[in-house]
Amino acid sequence: MRPIERDELEPLATGAWILGTGGGGSPYLSYLNMCNLYADGSQVNLMDPADLADDALVAVVSNMGAPLVGQERLSDPAFAAKPVRMMEEYLGRRFDAVMSVEIGGGNAFQPLLVGAVTGLPVVDADAMGRAYPEAQMTSFAIADLPMFPLTLADIRDNEVIVARAASWKWMERISRKVCTEVGSIAATCKAPRSGAEVKAHGILYTTTQAIALGREVRRARRAHEDPVAAILTAANGKLLFRGKIADVQRRTTEGFLRGTARMEGIDDDRGVRFEVAFQNEYAVGWRDGQVVVTTPDLICLLDSVSGEAIGTESLRYGQRVSVIALPAPAILRTPKGIAHVGPRAFGHDTDYVTVFDDAVPTEQRS
């Protein structure tokens, strides 16, 4: 276990925003919250998942809802910790550590906010290795672990406990309906995980990965190098397209931010049209009408100058962007993983299409 230093918070925000693939909510406001907490004397410890006892109890936390709403309705550390305390009261047992359900976007900071309030260490792991919008899109769901109980709280003093659910998809449907009713943003504590479950089925060391990725972006900027190229090198990614945003169609429905963005190519991609579809996160990319990349590959839109990630709620006409793909964690690329998080899980009538030669499961190879 080691302390997360104050100068690691900004790299964490930058790296997590990239890994968010457009979703998870902007980390900026949570980053400012953490800066204030550190200025007041708080410090959060990062725990190696290998150090978890098998019978340790781990809280899995997140902000749930539409990213666009998250920009308007601000949360705070006490709000983040509320469902954790609710879960402890329901279980009659204290947690030993806390982790995020997803490393992408603002949810990378959710366990840090909880840790600052409760003193719990933050496990260096998550259950996605990126961001995804639905409860069944996690490594824990792919492993068929229990999906209940779940606690949820909003800023109006509403508290909800989902004691049981018939399946992961039913847990998603029930909790999403509640989230929508309270304004499409809520703090949640997912089904508790044991230390053994985290070590066996979590996606490990992703907080460290996000910090390292953010540091590389900052290093490239200081050296006046191309930060997008630095990201590709650091994360073994591939550049798919450079252009500018020509059109955005976006709507908030059923607690999600859904839509498409169309881009026109510049420089080497002049004359090319690229389009992405998203449900909180970018899910499918088309180049001149041909599908060239899909989830679970990480599809990221970056500011071509700064290398900063662009969330689906922040897309604007005229932005100059680079579209890149990063490889997904191995568990997401298995046939069972693709059933949970592949393009058909988002309603797209296409098989998994990847730009990484070694990423396609054997039975999908032609």
Side-chain angles (χ1 to χ4, degrees), residues 48 54 133 311:
D48 188 319
D54 286 350

Side-chain angles (χ1 to χ4, degrees), residues 83-94 159 161:
V84 175
R85 293 308 192 201
M86 290 167 57
M87 185 68 78
E88 289 180 330
E89 182 177 348
Y90 178 78
L91 297 174
R93 179 181 171 185
R94 292 289 186 180
E159 299 181 356
I161 299 172

Side-chain angles (χ1 to χ4, degrees), residues 69-358:
V69 179
Q71 288 189 332
E72 302 167 350
R73 182 170 292 173
L74 310 184
S75 62
D76 59 34
F79 176 70
K82 191 174 182 181
V84 175
R85 293 308 192 201
M86 290 167 57
M87 185 68 78
E88 289 180 330
E89 182 177 348
Y90 178 78
L91 297 174
R93 179 181 171 185
R94 292 289 186 180
F95 283 110
D96 299 299
V98 61
M99 64 180 284
S100 179
V101 74
E102 62 183 6
I103 191 60
N107 271 329
F109 278 89
Q110 197 77 352
L112 275 70
L113 294 170
V114 173
V117 172
T118 64
L120 293 172
V122 173
V123 182
D124 192 358
D126 77 307
M128 296 181 184
R130 47 165 298 158
Y132 274 125
E134 299 186 26
Q136 74 277 10
M137 297 177 174
T138 70
S139 59
F140 297 145
I142 294 167
D144 293 322
L145 298 184
M147 72 295 299
F148 55 80
L150 175 144
T151 54
L152 179 151
D154 78 342
I155 60 171
R156 297 187 184 87
D157 204 30
N158 292 308
E159 299 181 356
V160 174
I161 299 172
V162 182
R164 292 189 68 86
S167 66
W168 279 96
K169 287 191 175 182
W170 269 108
M171 177 59 81
E172 166 62 28
R173 290 179 64 177
I174 295 167
S175 58
R176 185 69 54 178
K177 183 65 173 179
V178 174
C179 179
T180 302
E181 288 297 321
V182 299
S184 291
I185 195 75
T188 70
C189 183
K190 313 296 188 185
R193 300 271 74 101
S194 70
E197 289 172 334
V198 172
K199 288 182 285 188
H201 303 295
I203 298 175
L204 308 182
Y205 305 108
T206 47
T207 302
T208 296
Q209 176 193 1
I211 292 170
L213 188 56
R215 279 178 165 161
E216 183 60 16
V217 173
R218 298 179 71 196
R219 182 207 62 77
R221 290 175 188 160
R222 289 194 302 268
H224 303 290
E225 298 175 6
D226 179 358
V228 175
I231 292 167
L232 295 174
T233 299
N236 298 314
K238 292 191 177 183
L239 177 67
L240 304 180
F241 176 83
R242 285 187 188 269
K244 60 183 179 180
I245 303 291
D247 185 56
V248 180
Q249 300 292 326
R250 181 169 46 207
R251 65 197 185 281
T252 299
T253 60
E254 300 174 326
F256 299 111
L257 186 64
R258 306 176 191 265
T260 59
R262 179 171 56 83
M263 291 153 276
E264 303 291 347
I266 60 175
D267 300 330
D268 292 344
D269 289 313
R270 187 172 298 278
V272 174
R273 175 178 292 185
F274 202 98
E275 186 173 347
V276 292
F278 53 85
Q279 179 186 326
N280 288 7
E281 290 78 32
Y282 303 113
V284 179
W286 293 264
R287 185 181 176 95
D288 286 337
Q290 179 73 30
V291 175
V292 293
V293 65
T294 73
T295 174
D297 286 2
L298 281 69
I299 305 169
C300 311
L301 269 64
L302 309 175
D303 183 287
S304 292
V305 175
S306 69
E308 284 288 333
I310 301 173
T312 53
E313 76 273 27
S314 303
L315 293 165
R316 300 290 184 271
Y317 174 82
Q319 287 172 317
R320 290 182 178 262
V321 300
S322 296
V323 183
I324 70 168
L326 305 180
I331 184 63
L332 305 184
R333 294 183 273 114
T334 63
K336 190 171 181 182
I338 291 169
H340 280 258
V341 301
R344 296 187 190 280
F346 291 84
H348 297 283
D349 187 18
T350 178
D351 291 331
Y352 170 38
V353 177
T354 179
V355 298
F356 302 101
D357 292 339
D358 64 345

